[in-house]
């Protein structure tokens, strides 16, 4: 008989299987916590995509696409004095319009993405009652007028919701907040009013929090953004 001892077999744990299991657990836990938000968001995406597929663009929607297709950025800024909307919407349309993608799907898809962003911020960041969140998300303006009609309103609402979500941290993130105000102000006349209100409150609060605010680099950043915004208008 052989006296050689047998080496025990060491079973290595399946690391990939454990990772997959942990990932599934985290996903299930997250979905359980955010179940209502997920269901409402998926329903909103489904409704807006379905309605958008049957939407025939109006004259002003088609005109925005043609402007984005035919003009460069410099020409666009000069042309804005003849338009009722700000330049951000036309700028968002430029990539797909310049590539001459099949009209009107790229335009409708671009618009609905901003509507999805607005509803996501509403569901994720707002402190409203869940029922009120659902009512807002599926109200006539948010679910149809802003999401389906390809105009800059969905973009403006998204930036307004983002400003509201970041409001409590506005003094900790002043540059980001100022950039959001500037972007919001250049989407539509409606959003400009909201951006102006947020901007005035933000400026007053920031001046109160800084004794020598005019000596900081944040002051010159915000001043530069403000001058740019006024020049565009």
């Amino acid at each position: 008989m052989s006296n050689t001892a047998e080496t025990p077999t060491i079973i290595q744990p399946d690391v990939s299987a454990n990772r997959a299991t942990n990932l599934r657990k985290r996903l299930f836990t997250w979905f359980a916590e955010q179940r209502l938000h997920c269901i409402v968001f998926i329903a909103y995406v489904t409704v807006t995509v379905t309605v958008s597929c049957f939407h025939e663009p109006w004259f002003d929607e088609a005109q925005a696409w043609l402007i984005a297709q035919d003009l460069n950025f410099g020409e666009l800024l000069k042309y804005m004095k003849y338009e009722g909307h700000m330049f951000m919407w036309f700028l968002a349309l430029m990539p797909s319009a310049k590539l001459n993608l099949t009209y009107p799907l790229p335009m409708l898809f671009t618009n609905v993405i901003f509507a999805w962003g607005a509803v996501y911020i509403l569901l994720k960041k707002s402190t409203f009652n869940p029922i009120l969140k659902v009512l807002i998300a599926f109200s006539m303006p948010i679910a149809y007028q802003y999401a389906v009609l390809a105009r800059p309103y969905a973009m403006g609402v998204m930036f307004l919701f983002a400003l509201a979500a970041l409001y409590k941290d506005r003094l900790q993130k002043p540059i980001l907040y100022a950039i959001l105000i500037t972007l919001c102000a250049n989407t539509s006349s409606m959003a400009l009013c909201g951006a102006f209100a947020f901007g005035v409150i933000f400026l007053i609060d920031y001046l109160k929090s800084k004794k020598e605010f005019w000596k900081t680099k944040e002051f010159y950043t915000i001043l530069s953004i403000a001058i740019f915004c006024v020049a565009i208008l």
Side-chain angles (χ1 to χ4, degrees):
M1 295 180 62
S2 174
N3 294 327
T4 304
E6 296 183 359
T7 304
T9 303
I10 300 176
I11 301 176
Q12 297 290 340
D14 191 344
V15 178
S16 60
N18 290 338
R19 288 179 179 175
T21 302
N22 293 333
L23 178 61
R24 284 196 297 270
K25 288 181 179 179
R26 287 198 296 267
L27 287 175
F28 285 136
T29 301
W30 178 85
F31 183 77
E33 295 174 352
Q34 306 291 332
R35 179 168 51 194
L36 176 62
H37 294 167
C38 290
I39 293 174
V40 173
F41 186 75
I42 292 172
Y44 181 82
V45 169
T46 303
V47 169
T48 52
V49 168
T50 302
V51 178
S52 295
C53 289
F54 294 95
H55 173 63
E56 295 184 7
W58 295 3
F59 169 78
D60 62 306
E61 298 173 75
Q63 179 176 341
W65 176 267
L66 293 176
I67 291 173
Q69 188 178 54
D70 296 338
L71 303 182
N72 58 40
F73 183 70
E75 294 171 338
L76 176 65
L77 295 181
K78 293 179 181 179
Y79 190 78
M80 286 300 95
K81 61 184 178 182
Y82 304 110
E83 280 295 315
H85 300 307
M86 313 301 182
F87 76 94
M88 285 292 295
W89 172 238
F90 303 94
L91 192 63
L93 292 178
M94 272 191 174
S96 53
K98 295 296 185 186
L99 291 173
N100 200 26
L101 300 180
T102 305
Y103 174 85
L105 292 180
M107 180 180 68
L108 299 176
F109 184 68
T110 300
N111 181 68
V112 81
I113 285 178
F114 291 113
W116 295 346
V119 170
Y120 176 82
I121 296 172
L122 170 70
L123 296 174
K124 185 70 175 178
K125 299 296 183 179
S126 73
T127 58
F128 294 144
N129 181 283
I131 296 177
L132 184 57
K133 291 181 181 181
V134 175
L135 292 177
I136 294 174
F138 288 96
S139 62
M140 176 67 172
I142 303 297
Y144 176 71
Q145 287 183 312
Y146 301 160
V148 177
L149 304 183
R151 292 166 181 160
Y153 304 124
M155 180 190 294
V157 170
M158 186 191 73
F159 284 126
L160 287 172
F161 284 0
L163 287 169
L166 194 62
Y167 182 78
K168 63 180 180 179
D169 297 322
R170 64 194 183 283
L171 299 181
Q172 287 73 38
K173 301 176 181 178
I175 295 179
L176 175 60
Y177 202 74
I179 291 174
L180 286 176
I181 289 174
T182 303
L183 294 175
C184 183
N186 286 284
T187 56
S188 67
S189 301
M190 177 189 69
L192 174 61
C193 297
F196 178 77
F198 276 111
V200 170
I201 296 172
F202 169 59
L203 183 59
I204 293 173
D205 291 343
Y206 202 91
L207 287 174
K208 288 181 179 179
S209 67
K210 301 288 184 179
K211 294 182 180 179
E212 296 184 349
F213 172 64
W214 58 89
K215 295 182 180 180
T216 63
K217 63 180 181 180
E218 287 86 357
F219 169 76
Y220 294 102
T221 302
I222 294 173
L223 180 62
S224 300
I225 294 174
I227 293 174
F228 173 76
C229 183
V230 173
I232 294 299
L233 297 177

